[in-house]
Amino acid sequence: MKVGLVGFPGSGKTTVFNALTGQQAEIGYSGKGLGKTNLAVVKVPDPRIDALADLYKPRKTTRAEVVFVDVAAPPGVAGRSLDASAIVAMREVDALAAVVRGFPSTEGAAADPVGELSDLATEMTIGDLAPIEKRLERLKKEKAKPGEQDLLLRCKAHLDQGGSLRDLPLSESELQLASGYRFLTRKPLLVVYNVAESDIVRPLPAAVQAYLATHKLTAIPLCGQLEMDLAALSEAEQKAFLADVGLEQPAVNRFISSAYGALDLISFLTAGEDECRAWTIQRGTIAQRAAGKIHSDIERGFIRAEVMSFDDLMKYRSEVKVREAGRARLEGKEYVVRDGDIIHFRHAT
Ligand SMILES: Nc1nc2c(ncn2[C@@H]2O[C@H](COP(=O)(O)OP(=O)(O)O)[C@@H](O)[C@H]2O)c(=O)[nH]1
Ligand SMILES: [Mg+2]
């Protein structure tokens, strides 16, 4: 999964990027870091994988991964606008995390989180309207695909009224037509409310809470500065530091579990002496499709999935015992995979 950190200059995107990835990308307005897009891969913490590795002692342990992209504006872009290259970068990610400033800026400007959120929403709306209008213009000369013109007009009307395409119900065929546009306002959006050190355990301001409720959004409050310092420490030091400031988990853990929730993602697991591994899928994915995550050959030649739950395996401590207890199931291709399923796929070659 690829998550884009987006927001206006000075909101703390690069600071939050460093906090989530443990990197040391350059922060601030000046210097050569400005305008550089940063990218880093983070392994998804999953205690179930640790437990499986304990049981199987596999040669290899593979966690799910999240790629974080710090979408930077090029030099010269300041204030409350997103340039074309930022819009392009935003189209390429699976989910957006909007970083908003909750602390006084380096120039002393007061925080205006609701203003930033609504300006960001406007920028994304404009970003989605542009390709729709361009396509509608071309459809005056070209033949539309079935349903295309209707869909575009519906999307346009919805955006013109200030809505996001996330809230527009689309049929299966409309989803197909829309997928090529990679609409920004259709992408899952998480808000990262970047607070001052002094506000860290305070509830979100009422105005921010009201905005989130109206727009059905989730926010993760964190202090980028503090979390960035934390990410640079050893694991033991982190524990002491977290306890000190009254937090249970570092930002990256809180962020990833919120992101999985907001994106409706779950993990299934594969286990063996060779490898124990977590695979990320959308909730509702059927077994045959899930097999395709591992390899397209397994999806194509799918015969059956042998499924046991993580909890049963932990209880009986071996696959053989789980089978003897009658807790292993053979499922067909339409079986809807559940979070924590341990699966062996049987397939023709
Ligand atoms: N007090 C405080 N300052 C922060 C925090 N996060 C970022 N900053 C400062 O805000 C400025 C802009 O941060 P930066 O990460 O470069 O923002 P970007 O332009 O969105 O990438 C820098 O001077 C940071 O030190 C924070 O949580 N608390
Ligand atoms: Mg930056």
Side-chain angles (χ1 to χ4, degrees):
M1 177 178 49
K2 210 169 178 184
V3 176
L5 297 167
V6 303
F8 298 121
S11 60
K13 293 181 298 301
T14 305
T15 306
V16 169
F17 172 84
N18 285 344
L20 294 174
T21 64
Q23 302 238 328
Q24 274 146 23
E26 193 184 345
I27 57 168
Y29 296 109
S30 55
K32 56 184 181 329
L34 186 69
K36 189 170 162 279
T37 289
N38 301 301
L39 205 133
V41 180
V42 168
K43 305 237 177 276
V44 174
D46 187 343
R48 292 175 304 193
I49 286 293
D50 301 326
L52 288 179
D54 226 36
L55 192 61
Y56 287 84
K57 309 272 184 280
R59 275 183 280 281
K60 202 172 157 204
T61 304
T62 312
R63 289 162 209 284
E65 290 178 345
V66 174
V67 180
F68 285 104
V69 189
D70 168 20
V71 179
V77 175
R80 296 271 186 91
S81 66
L82 296 175
D83 70 296
S85 67
I87 299 279
V88 170
M90 286 161 72
R91 289 215 195 287
E92 282 168 17
V93 299
D94 305 305
L96 296 166
V99 181
V100 295
R101 183 167 57 81
F103 53 90
S105 79
T106 36
E107 285 85 28
D112 177 24
V114 172
E116 280 188 27
L117 282 170
S118 71
D119 287 351
L120 261 178
T122 306
E123 292 288 329
M124 293 193 220
T125 301
I126 295 170
D128 283 349
L129 278 169
I132 292 179
E133 280 161 0
K134 206 165 129 194
R135 181 71 185 148
L136 283 170
E137 196 54 39
R138 291 193 60 173
L139 287 184
K140 289 179 181 161
K141 286 172 254 159
E142 272 172 40
K143 194 165 149 34
K145 296 182 199 133
E148 187 184 8
Q149 182 138 5
D150 276 356
L151 170 67
L152 293 178
L153 289 171
R154 250 177 83 212
C155 289
K156 180 170 154 39
H158 188 77
L159 289 166
D160 281 339
Q161 283 163 25
S164 33
L165 297 177
R166 229 172 283 123
D167 304 325
L168 190 69
L170 298 179
S171 70
E172 202 57 46
S173 63
E174 286 177 325
L175 277 174
Q176 283 277 327
L177 282 170
S179 69
Y181 288 89
R182 293 184 289 173
F183 289 125
L184 302 178
T185 67
R186 227 188 131 69
K187 291 185 194 286
L189 177 68
L190 276 171
V191 174
V192 175
Y193 183 55
N194 190 10
V195 294
E197 288 77 342
S198 53
D199 286 343
I200 191 146
V201 282
R202 243 178 250 176
L204 294 173
V208 175
Q209 288 191 35
Y211 183 95
L212 296 170
T214 313
H215 295 85
K216 299 200 269 316
L217 296 172
T218 315
I220 308 166
L222 58 85
C223 173
Q225 188 70 55
L226 183 144
E227 298 280 357
M228 183 173 90
D229 298 342
L230 177 74
L233 301 177
S234 73
E235 216 167 298
E237 290 171 320
Q238 286 193 11
K239 283 222 172 77
F241 190 114
L242 283 168
D244 233 26
V245 293
L247 290 172
E248 270 172 28
Q249 295 197 52
V252 63
N253 296 27
R254 283 181 283 138
F255 184 95
I256 289 178
S257 64
S258 298
Y260 268 55
L263 300 170
D264 219 9
L265 296 173
I266 59 168
S267 303
F268 75 88
L269 312 161
T270 51
E273 272 80 51
D274 252 6
E275 189 183 28
C276 290
R277 182 161 182 170
W279 305 83
T280 303
I281 51 170
Q282 199 82 40
R283 189 184 298 279
T285 300
I286 57 167
Q288 187 174 20
R289 196 65 56 71
K293 271 262 148 190
I294 301 175
H295 202 288
S296 55
D297 287 350
I298 308 181
E299 180 170 359
R300 214 172 308 119
F302 183 98
I303 299 171
R304 284 259 181 288
E306 191 198 24
V307 183
M308 53 186 76
S309 75
F310 172 79
D311 291 341
D312 278 339
L313 183 58
M314 286 301 116
K315 181 170 159 198
Y316 295 102
R317 306 302 295 169
S318 92
E319 292 184 17
V320 173
K321 295 223 176 80
V322 173
R323 283 185 202 109
E324 282 170 3
R327 301 289 299 166
R329 296 166 278 132
L330 279 180
E331 302 281 4
K333 56 185 174 191
E334 297 292 332
Y335 168 72
V336 175
V337 175
R338 292 188 216 147
D339 189 43
D341 276 351
I342 294 167
I343 308 185
H344 288 285
F345 290 102
R346 298 187 187 167
H347 61 103
T349 44

